[in-house]
Amino acid sequence: MSVNQQAHTGPPYGQPQPGYQGYQQPAYGGQSLPGAPQQYGAYNGPMPGYQQPVPAQGYYPSLGFPSKGSPVSLNSDTSSLAPNFIGSLRAPPTSGAPPPASGASHPSGPVAYSQFEHGDVQNGIPASAAPVQRPPASQPFLPGSAPTPVSQISTFQQYGPPPASVQQLRNHMAGMTIGSTAASAPPPAGLGYASVPPVSGSCSATGSGLYTPYSASQGPPPASVSQGLPLAQPPFPAQTIPTQRLPAQVPGFTPPPPSAGVGPSSYPPTTGAPRPPAMPGPPLPGQTVAGPPSSQPNHVSSPPPPSTMAGLHPGPPMSGLHGPPPPTHPPQPGYPMQQNGSFGQMRGPQPNYGGAYPGAPNYGSPPGPPPPPKRLDPDSIPSPIQVIEDDRNNRGSEPFVTGVRGQVPPLVTTNFLVKDQGNASPRYIRCTSYNIPCTSDMAKQSQVPLAAVIKPLATLPPDETLPYLVDHGESGPVRCNRCKAYMCPFMQFIEGGRRFQCCFCSCVTEVPPHYFQHLDHTGKRVDFYDRPELSLGSYEFLATVDYCKNNKFPIPPAFIFMIDVSYNAVKSGLVRLICEELKSLLDYLPREGNMEESAIRVGFVTYNKVLHFYNVKNSLAQPQMMVVSDVADMFVPLLDGFLVNVNESRTVITSLLDQIPEMFADTRETETVFAPVIQAGLEALKAAECAGKLFIFHTSLPIAEAPGKLKNRDDRKLVNTDKEKTLFQPQTSFYNNLAKDCVAQGCCVDLFLFPNQYLDVATLGVVPYQTGGSIYKYAYFQLETDQYRFLNDLRRDVQKEVGFDAVMRVRTSTGIRATDFFGAFYMSNTTDVEMAGLDCDKTITVEFKHDDKLSEDSGALLQCALLYTSCAGQRRLRIHNLSLNCCTQLADLYRNCETDTLINYLAKYAYRGVLSSPVKTVRDALINQCAQILACYRKNCASPSSAGQLILPECMKLLPVYLNCVLKSDVLQPGPEVTTDDRAYIRQLVTSMDVAETNVFFYPRLLPLTKADVDSDALPAAIRNSEERLSKGDIYLLENGLNIFVWVGVSVQQSLIQNLFGVSSFSQISNALSTLPVLENPFSKKVRSIVDVLQGQRSRYMKLIVVKQEDKLEMLFKHFLVEDKSLTGGASYVDFLCHMHKEIRQLLS
């Protein structure tokens, strides 16, 4: 089969195929589809995107994507968002933002953008191979409105000077048309970009006095707001965002009162030049008019009728727009002008009102202070909820079959079943784009990073088959002679099956005699379906002794539990809690397949300023303690009896765990050591000649005299200075060297921290991070509120699947190569990712660059090979293969991107960037790179339209909202309450998150509990992350992968409070609850089941926090309402969208 063939599909996989004889696995092939857990579903097709720059004229795509000549705009027809949006991941107050992509050029001038903050990022939608068809729509093309094409934008221009005139300011804004895209969220409050002058006419936002209004002294503003609807609307509509007219006010609009919550992100209206309405007039001959989108009008007319923004913050609604009289074109039939409906206004067009202009009455809005300038209607800009919902509806019901090259999978938020037919499941590998540019010039022009997020040991849902284990005996796996790639479905057999041509390097290799098989009439081997490595994307090989250290098969790994017994640990009850839990937890150590008991041996150490080792040999009546007080020269005082089999030594171990809390009950020792503890574990594993994991439970900064001693260097004054990066760097190189020794031995470290003050996570985390381990942090640990979360994390950490002594290499076909890696690992050379341990939750993100041209015919291939030792001591190779398409047209690239994966990569890139660059530089580079990605689309793929329109590619229409969440995260824009340790912790955590985790971490999931159907298993439909969406008569749940908030409005019915909390009034609800009370009524059962479902989807047990409206904790909760302006100056979604539009226009002019 030729390299560019797709993996053979063979008999339809729904029918049973011949089983793979001898593989330890359920019969291959006949998995049942129905009832697949809809875990995360697929993205079905692009949604409307924002209009982009004008391409050269001349080709109309026959289908699919907007490309030159076929105008596409943000008028997304049916893009409404998903109800059960899982939300993107948003961090707890400590979250961070992504780094600039590597090629991102920094803005040349200082961009004072310090105010994006605390937000979460959402991941966007992947485009799919089967784009969603949208109704065609049409729209008159307004000549003269197209931006001048610009040669490719490489550098970011500095924000321009302030606008010279209101006129320009208005014109620019007027131009922003926002098609209806997602309906549903009110605009967040104004954004404070600190002094960012606008590009020709841009939005200014107020809301914090911080915003120097954008002004327009930059080129003439677009004269029209044409709303570019696609002609025959391609499945890949871009989204145009019409902006609503702002009042004709001078640039420094005064911010509205805080209660109004709306900073004017004003898009000034054009004065002077008449501007065509955002909704085009009657269709031109030959054009069809699309029908209204689901749940909202297709276009928002620029001058909207009077109304408040949809669901603005409580406060006087914004009403009348001031500005020139409405354009004369009648609204297009079928598209009501968008109106906000949150304060009782009507949504449809109001027949005889032209909109609120100076002097127009405030229809429907309560009297109040003079209205602030009109802003974009949040319901008219792309909604993550709608995108997620559409993808679920379009792609959640069908299995995702991996036989076709370059298919974009469903979104991570959709529940779908995967059938492996030759490419690895998206649960193992997700890419930023499934159609990559053929040349490096094209890649540079688009600035879209080419990256894969790989989770080699991912857990699969119960109805998907685990990778088959293939044993080729002593000869080992069949490989290419030259590049050493492993046999896979893309290798081509030639000469009757006697040789095969490598799909990665084209070298021809002899087929070993024992592996020979005849070919059928299509050139495929007749045993194709009997061999997983020829027909599947993921499988495992049993490794031979050649793949083992020192050419010896490994012995099973060991777990060593190392417990801090200093004063704080004992006094808080932590030591007793750990010892009690370990008695039962040791029965659940991981084991292979159907083994009776785990092969893992265990050992125990306690420590404060000195270390105590315990002999728990099964022949002893009582455990024996040995103390090592010379921590400067660590050694293990016993070999025999330290690492033991749990079942053989059970009575001695139980006796030890009973005695430890008593032995140290009266301790007065407050100081601890840390590095010697890791050294002790490492020496023990060396002596036992095995790999393993250290579980260290630690409470304080290690200030006792010993190697690796640290000092308190916490300094909040460094935030926002050039020295801020030192807060993320380790204070000594000692731990880097220690980590290197641990990796060489296969000694992985998992660290559980219980700090009451600064602990220097940036330094203590070095060894866990570089060995592939995990860090768990429980600040101000209190037994009653935190033990449940800690014990759940500990149980899962001890029981989860983990591979030891792992090495991963990613091979690619000619033309691209892996150049950069992100995650928790160590690299001693440029190709091998080494991890002492790799568990089922960890991802490695790999970036690829071109080193030659690619061809559209053969596509591009990736092969990820992971060599590891299983928990039973078996050496294995896990192989994942993926084939991607290659394109010569930029439109194909933009049609096949996945925003969620792109944001995952950008966040990791940014979070690494803060180690070496000022945070402001990192933020600016991120904004610059995303502006370049969108400007390139506008210039090369979108149909001609006014520069005033913001046009986003269908599959990237959520890029701005998610990017803003990353920028507002705690790593890139910390609030005063976020500690240095929190930021270091989040930075490390996000670096090894998968796409589903970053999705909900940056854009949390917000569910209205009072709307839940108590008789159904379904979750209530999610809503957008904005305060305007909250009603004081309801109860909501917000989750971001680390925390679950239950927000209770002040006017909630007393019966609901009684049913959920078991108290009779709002004032009696306790903030100290860490779990919901178990009450026997349908509402209590439903809410607790929702919490259990969410906990089950996350890799860590989320902390439950009950927040009462208007209570002090509400500030923390609001930090996660990421579409709103944040207290630390982070922009609202509406304002950030205006800012991105300004950046894009600057690049295009």
Side-chain angles (χ1 to χ4, degrees):
M1 102 188 231
S2 72
V3 180
N4 55 2
Q5 273 174 279
Q6 291 147 341
H8 306 285
T9 43
Y13 271 48
Q15 300 153 9
Q17 272 103 21
Y20 285 13
Q21 288 77 15
Y23 299 127
Q24 329 170 355
Q25 226 56 350
Y28 171 62
Q31 305 123 333
S32 59
L33 303 179
Q38 309 238 147
Q39 196 104 316
Y40 283 121
Y43 166 53
N44 207 0
M47 311 250 352
Y50 298 177
Q51 259 205 266
Q52 313 280 337
V54 185
Q57 304 308 112
Y59 70 91
Y60 282 73
S62 52
L63 127 232
F65 286 115
S67 77
K68 315 199 169 163
S70 91
V72 180
S73 67
L74 181 51
N75 314 322
S76 107
D77 305 297
T78 29
S79 88
S80 37
L81 287 181
N84 285 0
F85 168 39
I86 294 208
S88 24
L89 300 172
R90 166 91 172 64
T94 51
S95 70
S102 47
S105 41
H106 299 293
S108 46
V111 181
Y113 197 175
S114 58
Q115 291 152 356
F116 284 174
E117 153 102 57
H118 293 116
D120 305 9
V121 159
Q122 292 183 228
N123 293 357
I125 312 184
S128 87
V132 189
Q133 293 292 350
R134 312 218 169 259
S138 74
Q139 113 156 50
F141 168 59
L142 301 164
S145 55
T148 337
V150 177
S151 56
Q152 112 191 24
I153 335 134
S154 51
T155 58
F156 203 125
Q157 285 139 303
Q158 153 158 24
Y159 299 73
S165 67
V166 179
Q167 147 84 44
Q168 288 183 301
L169 186 55
R170 297 218 217 97
N171 288 354
H172 160 207
M173 294 326 261
M176 284 179 85
T177 13
I178 295 213
S180 77
T181 277
S184 84
L191 128 107
Y193 299 172
S195 54
V196 183
V199 190
S200 58
S202 44
C203 347
S204 104
T206 56
S208 73
L210 304 162
Y211 210 16
T212 327
Y214 297 142
S215 26
S217 57
Q218 273 95 270
S224 67
V225 174
S226 81
Q227 164 129 356
L229 279 194
L231 287 176
Q233 179 149 348
F236 180 81
Q239 232 169 282
T240 324
I241 303 204
T243 56
Q244 301 179 332
R245 300 250 215 132
L246 294 181
Q249 269 190 265
V250 191
F253 311 114
T254 25
S259 62
V262 191
S265 95
S266 26
Y267 301 58
T270 46
T271 33
R275 58 176 213 185
M279 308 188 35
L284 301 181
Q287 288 184 308
T288 42
V289 180
S294 59
S295 89
Q296 76 184 75
N298 197 17
H299 321 30
V300 176
S301 69
S302 307
S307 75
T308 47
M309 308 291 333
L312 289 183
H313 285 302
M318 309 207 340
S319 36
L321 290 186
H322 315 292
T328 52
H329 308 258
Q332 207 166 312
Y335 291 102
M337 297 186 185
Q338 169 82 39
Q339 219 173 319
N340 309 311
S342 105
F343 286 98
Q345 265 99 334
M346 308 188 295
R347 255 188 201 273
Q350 310 186 26
N352 306 310
Y353 313 150
Y357 294 104
N362 289 347
Y363 291 107
S365 38
K374 183 69 176 162
R375 327 165 27 119
L376 269 178
D377 175 359
D379 281 346
S380 67
I381 58 181
S383 156
I385 306 298
Q386 190 61 57
V387 169
I388 286 167
E389 184 55 22
D390 289 348
D391 191 73
R392 283 207 177 115
N393 295 337
N394 292 326
R395 304 196 63 186
S397 51
E398 291 295 308
F400 179 69
V401 180
T402 72
V404 183
R405 182 174 86 192
Q407 278 187 107
V408 181
L411 293 185
V412 285
T413 41
T414 300
N415 242 332
F416 60 102
L417 183 75
V418 179
K419 297 196 93 48
D420 185 341
Q421 289 192 9
N423 281 293
S425 160
R427 304 192 205 289
Y428 295 123
I429 306 182
R430 277 188 178 264
C431 296
T432 52
S433 179
Y434 289 81
N435 199 334
I436 62 181
C438 283
T439 65
S440 59
D441 288 347
M442 235 177 114
K444 283 195 188 88
Q445 187 182 352
S446 73
Q447 287 285 312
V448 174
L450 305 177
V453 179
I454 306 175
K455 197 176 184 183
L457 298 179
T459 308
L460 299 184
D463 42 6
E464 290 180 19
T465 312
L466 294 171
Y468 291 87
L469 181 62
V470 180
D471 183 358
H472 282 313
E474 292 192 8
S475 59
V478 177
R479 304 176 69 175
C480 166
N481 273 346
R482 182 197 291 158
C483 71
K484 304 298 180 198
Y486 294 87
M487 179 55 65
C488 72
F490 313 118
M491 298 288 190
Q492 191 175 7
F493 288 88
I494 53 177
E495 297 178 22
R498 289 188 295 278
R499 306 169 84 187
F500 68 89
Q501 182 167 25
C502 177
C503 51
F504 294 95
C505 69
S506 304
C507 174
V508 173
T509 301
E510 295 284 333
V511 172
H514 71 88
Y515 197 71
F516 174 78
Q517 187 51 273
H518 295 285
L519 308 184
D520 65 13
H521 65 286
T522 64
K524 198 195 298 186
R525 283 173 55 126
V526 298
D527 62 352
F528 180 83
Y529 291 108
D530 300 331
R531 291 196 176 272
E533 73 275 20
L534 299 183
S535 53
L536 296 177
S538 300
Y539 42 86
E540 293 200 310
F541 290 120
L542 206 52
T544 59
V545 74
D546 305 334
Y547 293 85
C548 303
K549 260 190 197 161
N550 307 325
N551 280 358
K552 285 198 316 196
F553 280 114
I555 50 182
F559 283 180
I560 304 176
F561 297 92
M562 315 185 87
I563 306 167
D564 174 347
V565 289
S566 63
Y567 178 74
N568 279 343
V570 174
K571 185 188 67 174
S572 65
L574 181 63
V575 173
R576 187 175 297 280
L577 182 68
I578 293 168
C579 291
E580 281 304 314
E581 178 61 26
L582 287 179
K583 288 182 202 171
S584 55
L585 188 54
L586 294 176
D587 290 330
Y588 298 96
L589 298 176
R591 52 176 165 230
E592 204 93 320
N594 40 17
M595 289 171 54
E596 286 290 312
E597 61 176 50
S598 174
I600 293 173
R601 291 165 300 155
V602 298
F604 302 88
V605 172
T606 56
Y607 67 93
N608 39 44
K609 279 203 321 197
V610 298
L611 275 74
H612 321 106
F613 293 80
Y614 297 93
N615 183 344
V616 283
K617 196 172 179 183
N618 60 356
S619 55
L620 297 173
Q622 284 294 323
Q624 295 173 346
M625 176 164 94
M626 298 181 175
V627 180
V628 175
S629 52
D630 181 7
V631 290
D633 184 18
M634 187 44 62
F635 66 98
V636 179
L638 73 162
L639 292 180
D640 191 28
F642 179 63
L643 294 178
V644 298
N645 173 292
V646 174
N647 286 339
E648 291 171 8
S649 297
R650 181 171 303 279
T651 51
V652 195
I653 291 173
T654 304
S655 171
L656 170 66
L657 295 172
D658 283 335
Q659 291 175 41
I660 288 175
E662 307 309 327
M663 265 189 290
F664 299 100
D666 300 324
T667 185
R668 284 282 166 269
E669 186 52 73
T670 56
E671 293 188 355
T672 56
V673 295
F674 183 69
V677 180
I678 297 174
Q679 288 171 325
L682 171 61
E683 293 302 323
L685 294 176
K686 270 188 188 164
E689 297 184 340
C690 68
K693 187 182 269 197
L694 312 183
F695 295 84
I696 303 179
F697 304 92
H698 189 78
T699 62
S700 60
L701 190 70
I703 54 173
E705 243 354 285
K709 170 186 174 179
L710 301 179
K711 59 181 191 293
N712 185 337
R713 54 157 184 169
D714 189 19
D715 186 357
R716 293 304 301 265
K717 293 198 286 295
L718 297 181
V719 175
N720 292 328
T721 69
D722 286 352
K723 291 191 175 170
E724 183 172 7
K725 59 186 179 222
T726 59
L727 298 175
F728 296 109
Q729 298 165 351
Q731 48 173 293
T732 157
S733 60
F734 182 87
Y735 289 94
N736 295 77
N737 298 326
L738 181 54
K740 184 176 169 184
D741 295 341
C742 287
V743 172
Q745 182 53 45
C747 169
C748 177
V749 177
D750 279 358
L751 182 57
F752 293 81
L753 296 171
F754 305 86
N756 288 332
Q757 56 198 15
Y758 178 71
L759 194 71
D760 204 348
V761 173
T763 306
L764 297 188
V766 168
V767 179
Y769 185 69
Q770 294 191 16
T771 58
S774 305
I775 305 178
Y776 297 85
K777 182 165 157 291
Y778 310 88
Y780 307 107
F781 178 81
Q782 292 186 314
L783 210 55
E784 53 286 358
T785 54
D786 297 316
Q787 67 165 328
Y788 199 63
R789 179 166 62 111
F790 161 58
L791 294 178
N792 272 284
D793 283 342
L794 177 59
R795 286 167 194 154
R796 190 166 189 282
D797 197 58
V798 167
Q799 296 173 40
K800 67 186 172 188
E801 180 186 359
V802 59
F804 293 94
D805 239 338
V807 183
M808 185 181 101
R809 180 174 286 193
V810 178
R811 291 179 174 83
T812 53
S813 52
T814 309
I816 53 170
R817 60 194 172 86
T819 55
D820 209 351
F821 300 85
F822 303 83
F825 53 74
Y826 173 78
M827 291 187 79
S828 55
N829 57 36
T830 56
T831 53
D832 295 333
V833 174
E834 300 172 50
M835 295 155 289
L838 173 67
D839 64 49
C840 56
D841 299 321
K842 295 283 187 304
T843 64
I844 291 93
T845 301
V846 185
E847 185 180 9
F848 303 96
K849 289 265 167 62
H850 287 76
D851 55 9
D852 203 346
K853 282 191 176 153
L854 295 167
S855 109
E856 284 188 282
D857 297 338
S858 52
L861 302 175
L862 316 178
Q863 183 177 81
C864 162
L866 176 78
L867 175 65
Y868 71 99
T869 300
S870 73
C871 54
Q874 201 173 50
R875 200 72 175 147
R876 294 180 175 183
L877 283 153
R878 178 167 290 200
I879 312 296
H880 297 298
N881 303 287
L882 186 64
S883 58
L884 302 173
N885 286 327
C886 296
C887 58
T888 53
Q889 300 295 333
L890 284 165
D892 292 327
L893 163 69
Y894 284 102
R895 206 175 294 143
N896 291 280
C897 288
E898 201 197 15
T899 304
D900 292 316
T901 309
L902 187 58
I903 287 291
N904 178 283
Y905 164 84
L906 290 173
K908 291 171 180 176
Y909 185 87
Y911 282 17
R912 184 176 68 185
V914 298
L915 291 172
S916 53
S917 305
V919 171
K920 180 183 175 307
T921 306
V922 171
R923 294 161 50 77
D924 291 345
L926 268 185
I927 294 165
N928 181 26
Q929 182 169 10
C930 290
Q932 294 209 31
I933 290 171
L934 298 175
C936 174
Y937 174 82
R938 172 71 189 245
K939 182 182 166 203
N940 300 287
C941 310
S943 44
S945 63
S946 148
Q949 282 178 295
L950 170 57
I951 305 180
L952 302 173
E954 185 42 57
C955 4
M956 285 191 188
K957 65 185 183 193
L958 296 182
L959 186 61
V961 62
Y962 286 158
L963 177 70
N964 189 34
C965 296
V966 175
L967 292 169
K968 297 201 291 183
S969 65
D970 296 327
V971 173
L972 298 188
Q973 193 167 31
E977 76 296 340
V978 180
T979 67
T980 305
D981 275 345
D982 286 335
R983 296 176 75 196
Y985 172 64
I986 292 300
R987 195 190 76 76
Q988 291 201 6
L989 200 58
V990 168
T991 306
S992 46
M993 277 184 181
D994 70 10
V995 179
E997 289 173 315
T998 51
N999 175 270
V1000 79
F1001 178 76
F1002 288 117
Y1003 191 94
R1005 176 153 57 163
L1006 181 59
L1007 306 175
L1009 296 179
T1010 24
K1011 305 274 191 300
D1013 178 356
V1014 294
D1015 300 318
S1016 130
D1017 289 340
L1019 294 175
I1023 60 173
R1024 290 173 66 169
N1025 280 211
S1026 173
E1027 191 173 356
E1028 278 96 43
R1029 308 286 163 170
L1030 305 180
S1031 149
K1032 58 186 181 182
D1034 289 323
I1035 300 175
Y1036 298 86
L1037 178 150
L1038 181 144
E1039 64 121 355
N1040 73 343
L1042 294 184
N1043 299 301
I1044 289 181
F1045 292 92
V1046 175
W1047 182 89
V1048 187
V1050 289
S1051 312
V1052 172
Q1053 294 170 10
Q1054 189 262 328
S1055 58
L1056 284 175
I1057 291 176
Q1058 183 71 52
N1059 285 343
L1060 187 57
F1061 299 104
V1063 296
S1064 57
S1065 71
F1066 178 81
S1067 59
Q1068 293 175 299
I1069 299 171
S1070 163
N1071 281 337
L1073 289 175
S1074 55
T1075 52
L1076 293 171
V1078 178
L1079 303 172
E1080 287 303 314
N1081 66 71
F1083 185 58
S1084 173
K1085 286 179 181 166
K1086 176 65 184 175
V1087 172
R1088 284 181 287 114
S1089 82
I1090 289 172
V1091 170
D1092 291 344
V1093 166
L1094 300 182
Q1095 293 284 20
Q1097 291 173 354
R1098 306 292 167 223
S1099 60
R1100 293 172 179 240
Y1101 195 82
M1102 295 181 281
K1103 179 178 186 171
L1104 187 112
I1105 301 167
V1106 175
V1107 176
K1108 296 195 287 187
Q1109 187 177 1
E1110 296 167 8
D1111 186 71
K1112 59 181 187 298
L1113 269 177
E1114 201 182 21
M1115 297 310 287
L1116 177 61
F1117 172 76
K1118 285 180 180 176
H1119 174 78
F1120 298 101
L1121 297 177
V1122 296
E1123 289 198 19
D1124 296 343
K1125 184 171 185 311
S1126 67
L1127 295 171
T1128 45
S1132 68
Y1133 174 20
V1134 167
D1135 290 328
F1136 184 68
L1137 198 57
C1138 299
H1139 181 73
M1140 285 303 289
H1141 186 208
K1142 176 175 87 84
E1143 294 294 330
I1144 292 164
R1145 291 180 62 173
Q1146 208 167 30
L1147 289 169
L1148 292 174
S1149 54

